[in-house]
Amino acid sequence: MGVYADYAATTPLDKDIIENVMVHSDEFGNPSSIHKLGKRAKAHLESSRRAVADLLNASPQEIIFTSGATEANNMAIRGIVSKYDRPHIITTEIEHASVLNTYKSLEAHAEVSYIKTDENGVMNMDHFRQELREDTRLISVMFINNETGVMQPVYEIGQMLHDHAALFHVDAVQAFGHIGVDVKNLGIDLLSLSGHKIYGPKGVGVLYRKTGVMMTPLITGGSQEKDARGGTENSMFIYAISQAMQKAHDGRTERTIREMQMKEKFLNDLTQAEIPFKVNGDVNQSATHIINLYFPWAKSEFLLTALDMADIYISAGSACHAGTVEPSHVLASMYGEDERVMKSLRFSFSHLTETEEIERITEALKEIYERLV
């Protein structure tokens, strides 16, 4: 059996959730149909919507179901930017590709400010304050960085924007299930989530849109999802993500304690094995499930191949670059052209991770290191 330590890329599908979905498979009707089967499907869909809303401290009408967080991020950004004539918008240099590349594609239609990051992996708040203007219309900041696990000052930004006209968009894909996500308490206007990062299926996500926020639809068609997204709703997967969110919420304390234990064991084992490494980012300000390490003695691509041959599955960073190993834009923002950009790996753990798996990763790294030196 191999060792999987790439849970930030995707998680295995919870079998209990699939079984629960199949129990409700009779609710296959089109929620937009007016006959009894359609009305039953509609009621089932709205029950899932209420469940998701409750978990975010939102209202059901504020929940839009999507095909995933990439679509949700595009909906939020493009839907707001298109309503203005070249608006000023702000994001950071360390966003996920679905945010960063969307902003880059809009530079002809908007004035975009990219906030720098310090060596701890935290966005530079002084730079943010300098860039924030009265005419700023949208701000996108991820809650937990998907490559380093470092938490960004979302609450502080929400407080700053309390009396500002700018809308606050948060990519919370790596946050939900690991830390509390309360949209009202955090002052968030738009928030994106993905099913397959919390043991739900791929192909379903959530966009929270605060009441009163107007967006141009990204996908036009019927009047589904409060006129925000055309297309027949994927009721079964929507039910699945509501179940996955509930389980992640209910088991958060137990899960995060286990994740932290595995991460601490990994760092301790590496130290005891005398394998040279450094942590990328502030380990004291990071989520429990992600750690990004710099190994000065080997390039990322070599280590990934060597570990894969040892049946250990990890990544160098985001899994959204079609399987390629590219220099991390997150680490480049943190360290510039330093060699650690090309010699770092991301390990991401789960409440499913076993102690023996951590030991196998350390043993494999030790063998590779000793062969090289």
Side-chain angles (χ1 to χ4, degrees), residues 123-137:
M123 62 179 285
N124 188 314
M125 287 301 291
D126 288 337
H127 186 202
F128 175 74
R129 292 185 185 92
Q130 291 171 8
E131 294 296 329
L132 182 62
R133 310 183 329 209
E134 287 188 10
D135 64 339
T136 302
R137 292 292 173 255

Side-chain angles (χ1 to χ4, degrees), residues 119-121 147-150 277-283 286 290-295 316 331 334-335 338 340-341 343-346:
E119 289 190 357
N120 289 323
E147 294 194 24
T148 64
V150 175
F277 76 92
K278 292 181 180 178
V279 177
N280 292 322
D282 186 353
V283 71
S286 66
I290 301 174
I291 190 75
N292 196 300
L293 302 180
Y294 163 49
F295 297 103
L331 298 183
M334 294 165 63
Y335 303 112
D338 194 286
R340 68 198 297 164
V341 175
K343 294 183 175 182
S344 294
L345 298 177
R346 178 187 70 182

Side-chain angles (χ1 to χ4, degrees), residues 1-4 302-313 357 360-361 363-365 367-368 371:
M1 289 289 291
V3 175
Y4 186 72
F302 172 81
L303 283 173
L304 286 173
T305 301
L307 288 170
D308 189 47
M309 292 178 67
D311 293 325
I312 293 170
Y313 315 125
E357 293 180 309
R360 280 187 59 187
I361 299 172
E363 289 168 4
L365 286 169
E367 291 177 5
I368 298 167
R371 288 203 307 268

Side-chain angles (χ1 to χ4, degrees), residues 133-148:
R133 310 183 329 209
E134 287 188 10
D135 64 339
T136 302
R137 292 292 173 255
L138 178 64
I139 295 159
S140 290
V141 176
M142 68 193 329
F143 210 143
I144 291 176
N145 186 266
N146 60 302
E147 294 194 24
T148 64

Side-chain angles (χ1 to χ4, degrees), residues 220-251:
T220 54
S223 59
Q224 295 91 347
E225 296 303 293
K226 321 299 180 187
D227 292 315
R229 182 187 190 270
T232 302
E233 294 93 342
N234 186 347
S235 301
M236 291 181 67
F237 277 21
I238 287 170
Y239 176 68
I241 194 175
S242 72
Q243 291 288 295
M245 289 177 65
Q246 189 68 59
K247 290 190 75 169
H249 175 271
D250 294 345

Side-chain angles (χ1 to χ4, degrees), residues 262-307:
M262 294 300 99
K263 185 161 77 169
E264 289 179 349
K265 176 176 173 54
F266 183 45
L267 296 177
N268 290 335
D269 286 359
L270 288 175
T271 301
Q272 291 174 9
E274 298 182 340
I275 301 172
F277 76 92
K278 292 181 180 178
V279 177
N280 292 322
D282 186 353
V283 71
N284 296 315
Q285 195 170 329
S286 66
T288 54
H289 64 303
I290 301 174
I291 190 75
N292 196 300
L293 302 180
Y294 163 49
F295 297 103
W297 40 274
K299 288 189 175 181
S300 308
E301 191 166 6
F302 172 81
L303 283 173
L304 286 173
T305 301
L307 288 170

